[in-house]
Amino acid sequence: MLAARIIVALENPEDLVVVSARQFGQRAVFKFAQHTGAQYIGGRYTPGTFTNQIQKQFLEPRVLLVTDPTTDAQVFLFL
């Protein structure tokens, strides 16, 4: 319930980034992003996505939603 309230409270849905490196979570992440207007990273995470402003795919999310913390640990270690 707490996570749902945080997601609903966002004014701009593009401030939410949903990440899944696992094969079975990629479709769910894509569908969630498609229906909510959020941004997604499905598949391999490219280092520097959140830190390197010169990079073409640079994202600056307010909320980061990760499907599997053990697999996607690299994503939020650098945030």
Side-chain angles (χ1 to χ4, degrees):
M1 289 296 289
L2 179 62
R5 288 181 182 176
I6 292 171
I7 292 170
V8 169
L10 289 173
E11 294 176 12
N12 186 5
E14 292 182 0
D15 288 340
L16 173 67
V17 175
V18 191
V19 180
S20 177
R22 288 193 175 255
Q23 181 181 6
F24 299 110
Q26 291 176 12
R27 180 178 166 92
V29 164
F30 172 72
K31 289 290 186 177
F32 178 83
Q34 190 177 28
H35 290 291
T36 61
Q39 298 179 9
Y40 73 97
I41 299 174
R44 186 180 177 279
Y45 166 74
T46 306
T49 303
F50 302 127
T51 56
N52 188 0
Q53 296 178 358
I54 300 171
Q55 195 175 38
K56 187 176 182 180
Q57 296 107 1
F58 175 72
L59 298 173
E60 196 169 11
R62 294 184 66 200
V63 177
L64 179 66
L65 185 65
V66 180
T67 58
D68 186 11
T70 56
T71 305
D72 301 322
Q74 182 184 12
V75 174
F76 59 87
L77 287 177
F78 297 106
L79 188 61

